[in-house]
Short mmCIF file of all heavy atoms in Angstrom, two decimals:
data_model
loop_
_atom_site.label_atom_id
_atom_site.label_comp_id
_atom_site.label_asym_id
_atom_site.label_seq_id
_atom_site.Cartn_x
_atom_site.Cartn_y
_atom_site.Cartn_z
N GLY L 193 3.60 15.82 13.22
CA GLY L 193 2.46 16.71 13.41
C GLY L 193 1.15 15.95 13.57
O GLY L 193 0.33 16.28 14.45
N LYS L 194 0.95 14.93 12.76
CA LYS L 194 -0.27 14.12 12.86
C LYS L 194 -0.32 13.41 14.21
O LYS L 194 -1.37 13.36 14.86
CB LYS L 194 -0.29 13.08 11.73
CG LYS L 194 -0.44 13.66 10.34
CD LYS L 194 -1.89 13.98 10.01
CE LYS L 194 -2.02 14.38 8.56
NZ LYS L 194 -3.43 14.67 8.19
N ARG L 195 0.82 12.83 14.63
CA ARG L 195 0.86 12.09 15.89
C ARG L 195 0.55 12.99 17.09
O ARG L 195 -0.11 12.60 18.04
CB ARG L 195 2.23 11.44 16.07
CG ARG L 195 2.34 10.55 17.30
CD ARG L 195 3.70 9.88 17.41
NE ARG L 195 4.74 10.84 17.72
CZ ARG L 195 5.73 11.17 16.89
NH1 ARG L 195 5.80 10.64 15.69
NH2 ARG L 195 6.64 12.05 17.25
N LYS L 196 1.04 14.23 17.02
CA LYS L 196 0.85 15.17 18.13
C LYS L 196 -0.44 15.98 18.03
O LYS L 196 -0.75 16.77 18.92
CB LYS L 196 2.04 16.12 18.21
CG LYS L 196 3.34 15.43 18.60
CD LYS L 196 4.47 16.44 18.78
CE LYS L 196 5.72 15.77 19.31
NZ LYS L 196 6.82 16.75 19.55
N GLY L 197 -1.17 15.78 16.95
CA GLY L 197 -2.42 16.50 16.77
C GLY L 197 -2.22 17.98 16.50
O GLY L 197 -3.08 18.81 16.85
N LEU L 198 -1.12 18.33 15.86
CA LEU L 198 -0.84 19.74 15.57
C LEU L 198 -1.55 20.17 14.29
O LEU L 198 -1.72 19.37 13.36
CB LEU L 198 0.67 19.95 15.41
CG LEU L 198 1.54 19.63 16.62
CD1 LEU L 198 3.01 19.88 16.30
CD2 LEU L 198 1.11 20.44 17.84
N ILE L 199 -1.94 21.41 14.24
CA ILE L 199 -2.54 21.97 13.03
C ILE L 199 -1.44 22.68 12.25
O ILE L 199 -0.81 23.61 12.76
CB ILE L 199 -3.66 22.97 13.39
CG1 ILE L 199 -4.78 22.24 14.15
CG2 ILE L 199 -4.21 23.63 12.14
CD1 ILE L 199 -5.86 23.16 14.69
N PHE L 200 -1.19 22.22 11.04
CA PHE L 200 -0.15 22.81 10.21
C PHE L 200 -0.57 22.79 8.75
O PHE L 200 -1.45 22.03 8.35
CB PHE L 200 1.18 22.07 10.39
CG PHE L 200 1.16 20.62 9.93
CD1 PHE L 200 1.59 20.27 8.66
CD2 PHE L 200 0.71 19.61 10.78
CE1 PHE L 200 1.57 18.94 8.22
CE2 PHE L 200 0.69 18.28 10.35
CZ PHE L 200 1.13 17.95 9.09
N ASP L 201 0.07 23.64 7.97
CA ASP L 201 -0.20 23.72 6.54
C ASP L 201 0.80 22.82 5.81
O ASP L 201 2.00 23.14 5.77
CB ASP L 201 -0.05 25.17 6.08
CG ASP L 201 -0.45 25.37 4.63
OD1 ASP L 201 -0.18 24.47 3.81
OD2 ASP L 201 -1.00 26.43 4.30
N PRO L 202 0.37 21.69 5.25
CA PRO L 202 1.30 20.77 4.59
C PRO L 202 2.07 21.42 3.45
O PRO L 202 3.23 21.08 3.21
CB PRO L 202 0.39 19.65 4.07
CG PRO L 202 -0.81 19.71 4.94
CD PRO L 202 -1.01 21.17 5.25
N GLU L 203 1.44 22.35 2.75
CA GLU L 203 2.09 23.02 1.64
C GLU L 203 3.27 23.88 2.14
O GLU L 203 4.36 23.86 1.54
CB GLU L 203 1.10 23.88 0.88
CG GLU L 203 1.58 24.34 -0.50
CD GLU L 203 0.47 25.02 -1.27
OE1 GLU L 203 -0.14 25.97 -0.73
OE2 GLU L 203 0.20 24.61 -2.41
N LEU L 204 3.06 24.58 3.23
CA LEU L 204 4.14 25.39 3.79
C LEU L 204 5.24 24.51 4.37
O LEU L 204 6.45 24.79 4.20
CB LEU L 204 3.60 26.32 4.88
CG LEU L 204 2.60 27.39 4.46
CD1 LEU L 204 2.22 28.25 5.67
CD2 LEU L 204 3.17 28.26 3.34
N LEU L 205 4.86 23.44 5.05
CA LEU L 205 5.87 22.53 5.62
C LEU L 205 6.69 21.89 4.51
O LEU L 205 7.91 21.77 4.62
CB LEU L 205 5.20 21.47 6.48
CG LEU L 205 6.15 20.45 7.13
CD1 LEU L 205 7.16 21.14 8.04
CD2 LEU L 205 5.34 19.39 7.90
N TYR L 206 6.02 21.48 3.44
CA TYR L 206 6.75 20.87 2.33
C TYR L 206 7.72 21.86 1.70
O TYR L 206 8.88 21.51 1.43
CB TYR L 206 5.76 20.37 1.27
CG TYR L 206 6.45 19.71 0.10
CD1 TYR L 206 7.01 18.44 0.23
CD2 TYR L 206 6.54 20.35 -1.14
CE1 TYR L 206 7.66 17.83 -0.85
CE2 TYR L 206 7.18 19.75 -2.21
CZ TYR L 206 7.74 18.49 -2.06
OH TYR L 206 8.39 17.90 -3.13
#
Side-chain angles (χ1 to χ4, degrees):
K194 293 279 188 178
R195 185 178 69 247
K196 293 185 174 182
L198 299 179
I199 298 173
F200 64 95
D201 185 324
E203 195 172 53
L204 296 182
L205 180 60
Y206 181 74

